[in-house]
């Protein structure tokens, strides 16, 4: 039985009242701020679908227009929310929740809703109208994946052949014996790569799978939060969060400016068996190559064993924290957006003492599955006046494409979701 | 073999923008609990040198994670603003600096996931200075931490 998610009218600009007669219907007044407080390119506009939902991580849109959101922290006993806009004004007027587990990943494929905790993946069967048939009946398809706090979120995506891909982040910055500690050596080989630091492939329809029947699909990837399946190339793509603390750990080798920009946040086009080199290598976007990490004898220039390691198809500046990747396949936006990549950057912290940045959604034009030009900032203004992780007003974390080609953006700071449309849509 | 880097405390030219930094305030020595903002303004107990030296240590070893304003990073690095960890038991606070912290910590309903490394390479004086600085910055106001207190905690950790 679905229970109502109680939404408190915390924001001054939003007033939410719950109808006593129907526990799942909310009457709302839309947020009055222009575009819900964000800025967009000319011709685009945004409405706030819902606000103050909690720590909304990834989101997905159903073919009927419903939005499903995964919460990083269970709120009022609910970790999954379904938002429904019955009168088609863009604003959710029905919100229900269930799923008593925290997590990040959520996606829909072939009649099932998939959601992840920080150790497990569950799925729920949908009926022909796109409703979850029984929210109390979660099929536990993957279990007991490693969760050692750091990089513990499990993002998920499916291919067209019945497989699901799960990132298992390395619980470490650079595989040091003692994490993030000056002078602590890094193991060689890094033992964490056995069970973390990569993307694993499982069957989408088998219960209780774990490491013994999963396939390590790609390795040497420190942590991924944003990933998507590209329908043009029928391939997995992901955004890696690059390592931290080059200056803090190696002040003689990297100054604060270099440490703020390096290493790149890598956009990966992944084939089975790929190795992207973590923790031995990182990508330097100025030298356009994989560089040997200082823990493994690097000096900021040497390539050594990193020669021949798989490289990204595009490199973004360091520490921006890409938390969502979405290939746009809709018809609503102008032609240049078709099959291009939207990437939601959560925003940096490890650029300090340099100014923080990255609290925005970028667009990268793509052609035949490869970048076709340079990125541009698509949606901005999320942080507000103070651009740092503590004071940022919103932090972009999830992306979804609606059936009408609208783009949805989620924030995990307060839990706002925007619907971005083009033209008169 | 792996390189072991000895931290150079001096000679690191840090140019830190501390414009948003709250001006450190003074408290009386020996206080173990935070005091209200309108009390303890006498120039006793906390030396300017200790605060200045503490800021140098902070900027070198702490700022990258805990940020210039002590605000930390939600989900990752704990804040140092008005938290019980900073203002409360000094022994626990000293232990965190010396040993680091790898267990889950919840502050005001937020969980923090990143590991903090041990900073036992800092001298008793440096740990005392940086904690005195932290306890009197970022809107915090609490008693100084002395090198003797750090030494006492350190001797029991081995």
């Amino acid at each position: 039985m679905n229970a109502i998610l109680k939404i408190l009218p915390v924001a001054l600009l939003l007033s939410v009242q719950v109808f006593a007669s129907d526990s799942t219907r909310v009457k709302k007044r839309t947020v009055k701020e222009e575009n819900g407080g964000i800025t967009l390119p000319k011709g685009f506009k945004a409405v706030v679908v819902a606000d103050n939902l909690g720590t909304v991580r990834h989101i997905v849109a159903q073919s009927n227009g419903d939005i499903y959101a995964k919460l990083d922290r269970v709120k009022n006993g609910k970790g999954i929310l379904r938002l429904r806009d019955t009168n088609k004004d863009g604003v959710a007027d029905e919100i229900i929740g269930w799923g008593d587990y925290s997590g990040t990943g959520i996606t829909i494929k072939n009649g099932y809703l998939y959601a992840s905790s920080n150790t497990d993946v569950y799925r729920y069967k949908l009926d022909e109208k796109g409703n979850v048939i029984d929210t109390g009946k979660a099929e536990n398809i993957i279990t007991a994946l490693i969760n050692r706090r750091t990089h513990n979120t499990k993002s998920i995506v499916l291919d067209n052949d019945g497989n699901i891909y799960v990132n298992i982040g390395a619980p470490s910055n650079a595989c040091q014996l003692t994490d993030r500690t000056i002078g602590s050596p890094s193991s060689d080989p890094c033992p964490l790569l056995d069970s973390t630091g990569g993307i694993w492939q499982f069957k989408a329809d088998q219960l209780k799978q774990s490491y013994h029947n999963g396939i390590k699909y790609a390795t040497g990837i420190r942590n991924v939060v944003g990933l998507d399946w590209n329908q043009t190339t029928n391939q997995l793509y992901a955004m890696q969060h690059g390592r931290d603390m080059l200056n803090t750990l190696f002040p003689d080798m990297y100054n604060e400016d270099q440490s703020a920009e390096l290493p790149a946040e890598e956009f990966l086009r992944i084939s089975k068996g790929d190795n992207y080199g973590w923790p031995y290598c990182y990508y330097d976007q100025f030298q356009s190559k994989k560089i040997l990490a200082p823990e493994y004898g690097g000096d900021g220039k040497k390539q050594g064993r990193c020669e021949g390691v798989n490289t990204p198809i595009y490199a973004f500046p360091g520490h921006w924290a890409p938390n969502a990747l979405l290939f746009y396949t809709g018809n609503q936006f102008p032609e240049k957006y078709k099959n291009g990549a939207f990437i939601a950057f959560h925003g940096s912290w490890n650029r300090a003492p340099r100014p923080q940045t990255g609290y925005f959604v970028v667009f990268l034009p793509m052609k035949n599955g490869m970048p076709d030009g340079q990125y541009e900032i698509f949606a901005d203004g999320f942080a507000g006046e103070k651009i740092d992780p503590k004071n940022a007003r919103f932090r972009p974390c999830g992306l979804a494409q609606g059936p009408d080609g609208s783009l949805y953006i989620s924030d995990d700071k307060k839990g706002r979701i925007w619907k971005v449309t083009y033209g008169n849509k | 073999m792996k390189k072991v880097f000895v931290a150079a405390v001096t000679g690191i030219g840090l140019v830190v923008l501390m414009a948003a930094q709250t001006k450190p305030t003074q408290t009386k020595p020996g206080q173990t609990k935070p005091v209200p903002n309108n009390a303890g303004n006498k120039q006793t107990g906390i030396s300017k040198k200790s605060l200045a030296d503490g800021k140098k240590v902070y900027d070198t070893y702490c700022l990258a994670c805990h940020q210039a304003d002590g605000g930390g990073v939600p989900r990752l690095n704990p804040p140092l603003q008005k938290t019980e960890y900073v203002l409360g038991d000094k022994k626990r606070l000293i232990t965190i600096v010396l040993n680091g912290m790898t267990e889950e910590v919840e502050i005001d309903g937020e969980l923090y996931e990143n590991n903090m490394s041990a900073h036992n390479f800092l001298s008793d004086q440096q740990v005392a200075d940086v904690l005195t600085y932290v306890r009197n910055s970022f809107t915090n106001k609490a008693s100084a931490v002395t090198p003797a207190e750090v030494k006492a905690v350190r001797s029991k950790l081995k």
Side-chain angles (χ1 to χ4, degrees):
Chain A
M1 186 74 188
N2 296 329
I4 176 71
L5 175 88
K6 287 178 184 166
I7 304 166
L8 299 174
V10 180
L12 291 172
L13 292 163
L14 182 75
S15 161
V16 180
Q17 297 170 328
V18 179
F19 279 151
S21 58
D22 183 340
S23 66
T24 62
R25 186 165 297 164
V26 290
K27 183 185 178 184
K28 77 284 165 183
R29 238 170 266 144
T30 50
V31 172
K32 294 245 171 60
E33 275 178 289
E34 188 178 3
N35 293 322
I38 60 172
T39 58
L40 296 161
K42 198 167 183 285
F44 289 89
K45 59 180 189 287
V47 296
V48 174
V49 178
D51 209 8
N52 298 306
L53 295 171
T55 48
V56 178
R57 298 283 286 179
H58 283 174
I59 51 176
V60 65
Q62 169 65 296
S63 53
N64 64 4
D66 288 348
I67 304 298
Y68 290 91
K70 189 77 198 74
L71 297 185
D72 181 50
R73 299 286 304 276
V74 167
K75 188 176 175 183
N76 302 325
K78 288 139 189 84
I80 300 172
L81 304 179
R82 189 198 72 192
L83 296 83
R84 178 167 287 177
D85 169 20
T86 55
N87 65 350
K88 303 297 170 197
D89 65 351
V91 182
D93 35 41
E94 231 187 73
I95 302 175
I96 60 168
W98 75 94
D100 186 17
Y101 52 92
S102 299
T104 286
I106 194 154
T107 192
I108 291 172
K109 187 82 179 178
N110 294 340
Y112 283 89
L113 174 74
Y114 295 79
S116 69
S117 71
N118 292 333
T119 54
D120 287 49
V121 181
Y122 303 90
R123 71 173 190 170
Y124 304 85
K125 192 163 177 51
L126 301 165
D127 67 18
E128 284 167 7
K129 290 179 179 170
N131 294 313
V132 172
I133 293 169
D134 184 354
T135 55
K137 195 179 169 192
E139 292 179 27
N140 184 196
I141 60 168
I142 304 166
T143 190
L145 302 180
I146 281 179
N147 170 8
R148 290 185 211 142
R149 297 171 61 234
T150 295
H151 303 151
N152 59 1
T153 61
K154 305 292 184 288
S155 299
I156 50 177
V157 71
L158 281 84
D159 64 17
N160 299 308
D161 299 304
N163 300 303
I164 183 168
Y165 300 81
V166 186
N167 82 283
I168 306 177
S172 171
N173 176 45
C175 204
Q176 290 176 282
L177 286 177
T178 309
D179 195 22
R180 298 175 189 267
T181 299
I182 294 170
S184 176
S186 290
S187 304
D188 192 357
C190 175
L192 298 174
L193 291 168
D194 284 355
S195 52
T196 68
I199 294 177
W200 266 252
Q201 183 196 57
F202 298 93
K203 294 294 175 197
D205 61 354
Q206 291 177 16
L207 298 178
K208 294 283 178 187
Q209 301 167 88
S210 196
Y211 289 103
H212 64 281
N213 42 10
I215 293 168
K216 194 197 289 182
Y217 192 76
T219 189
I221 305 171
R222 179 175 172 271
N223 188 36
V224 160
V225 185
L227 77 184
D228 197 9
W229 192 262
N230 188 306
Q231 302 299 342
T232 308
T233 60
N234 203 33
Q235 252 185 314
L236 177 67
Y237 289 63
M239 292 294 312
Q240 177 179 230
H241 282 223
R243 59 161 301 161
D244 297 325
M245 303 179 84
L246 285 169
N247 169 257
T248 307
L249 298 173
F250 299 94
D252 298 335
M253 220 178 284
Y254 301 89
N255 64 34
E256 287 170 357
D257 287 322
Q258 292 168 317
S259 192
E261 296 296 331
L262 293 172
E265 303 287 51
E266 301 179 35
F267 185 16
L268 311 176
R269 175 179 176 170
I270 298 173
S271 297
K272 188 175 181 177
D274 277 358
N275 177 6
Y276 291 92
W278 182 91
Y280 317 111
C281 318
Y282 67 82
Y283 192 77
D284 182 321
Q285 68 271 39
F286 302 104
Q287 302 180 63
S288 298
K289 59 185 179 185
K290 289 273 182 178
I291 298 294
L292 189 61
E295 287 85 356
Y296 292 91
D299 60 1
K301 295 186 186 71
K302 238 187 284 179
Q303 242 196 320
R305 67 203 282 179
C306 300
E307 211 172 333
V309 160
N310 290 111
T311 54
I313 55 171
Y314 196 85
F316 290 91
H319 314 296
W320 283 11
N323 271 14
L325 168 67
L326 180 136
F327 293 110
Y328 185 77
T329 57
N331 295 317
Q332 182 186 140
F333 290 5
E335 184 59 28
K336 79 164 187 178
Y337 292 96
K338 189 90 176 186
N339 297 318
F342 284 103
I343 299 157
F345 288 98
H346 202 219
S348 69
W349 62 269
N350 197 230
R351 294 173 76 91
R354 297 291 172 268
Q356 306 294 357
T357 184
Y359 298 73
F360 41 58
V361 176
V362 310
F363 176 73
L364 180 68
M366 305 269 293
K367 197 172 181 183
N368 301 323
M370 292 298 283
D372 183 35
Q374 299 302 315
Y375 79 87
E376 56 194 63
I377 294 175
F378 177 78
D380 202 357
F382 293 90
E385 286 175 13
K386 284 191 176 176
I387 302 176
D388 68 69
K390 174 82 172 185
N391 296 301
R393 193 174 168 217
F394 305 110
R395 300 187 77 184
C397 193
L399 296 169
Q401 182 186 308
D404 65 349
S406 301
L407 180 73
Y408 293 85
I409 305 170
S410 67
D411 144 63
D412 69 349
K413 190 118 186 193
K414 296 186 183 68
R416 182 170 285 193
I417 296 177
W418 295 261
K419 179 183 186 181
V420 177
T421 54
Y422 182 75
N424 295 321
K425 268 286 180 180
Chain B
M1 288 303 293
K2 315 302 169 299
K3 291 183 184 176
V4 176
F5 285 84
V6 178
V9 176
T10 54
I12 301 167
L14 291 178
V15 184
V16 183
L17 296 171
M18 299 294 284
Q21 189 63 59
T22 311
K23 192 184 176 200
T25 47
Q26 314 292 312
T27 54
K28 292 174 188 172
Q31 288 173 329
T32 53
K33 288 184 177 172
V35 294
N37 283 332
N38 60 355
N41 285 328
K42 289 179 184 171
Q43 300 286 319
T44 55
I46 294 170
S47 74
K48 281 186 179 169
K49 183 175 188 314
S50 185
L51 291 172
D53 290 350
K55 182 179 183 306
K56 277 183 204 160
V57 176
Y58 184 85
D59 290 354
T60 307
Y61 298 107
C62 316
L63 183 149
C65 293
H66 292 290
Q67 306 293 297
D69 66 353
V73 182
R75 299 180 86 253
L76 300 179
N77 309 324
L80 304 175
Q81 300 165 335
K82 291 261 173 69
T83 74
E84 175 60 23
Y85 280 91
V86 169
L87 298 174
D89 181 9
K90 286 200 267 187
K91 283 179 189 160
R92 178 174 69 174
L93 185 59
I94 293 165
T95 302
I96 290 171
V97 172
L98 294 175
N99 274 2
M101 184 135 101
T102 54
E103 72 233 47
E104 186 162 85
V105 47
E106 182 169 344
I107 298 171
D108 294 333
E110 181 94 45
L111 294 171
Y112 295 89
E113 291 169 358
N114 272 354
N115 295 321
M116 173 173 159
S117 65
H119 286 66
N120 51 9
F121 56 86
L122 296 173
S123 70
D124 293 343
Q125 183 71 51
Q126 285 177 308
V127 174
D129 287 344
V130 77
L131 290 180
T132 299
Y133 170 74
V134 166
R135 282 162 63 89
N136 291 280
S137 302
F138 323 135
T139 72
N140 295 328
K141 196 173 240 192
S143 63
V145 173
T146 67
E149 287 171 317
V150 178
K151 189 177 180 185
V153 172
R154 196 194 295 264
S155 68
K156 285 177 187 162
L157 292 179
K158 292 285 165 73

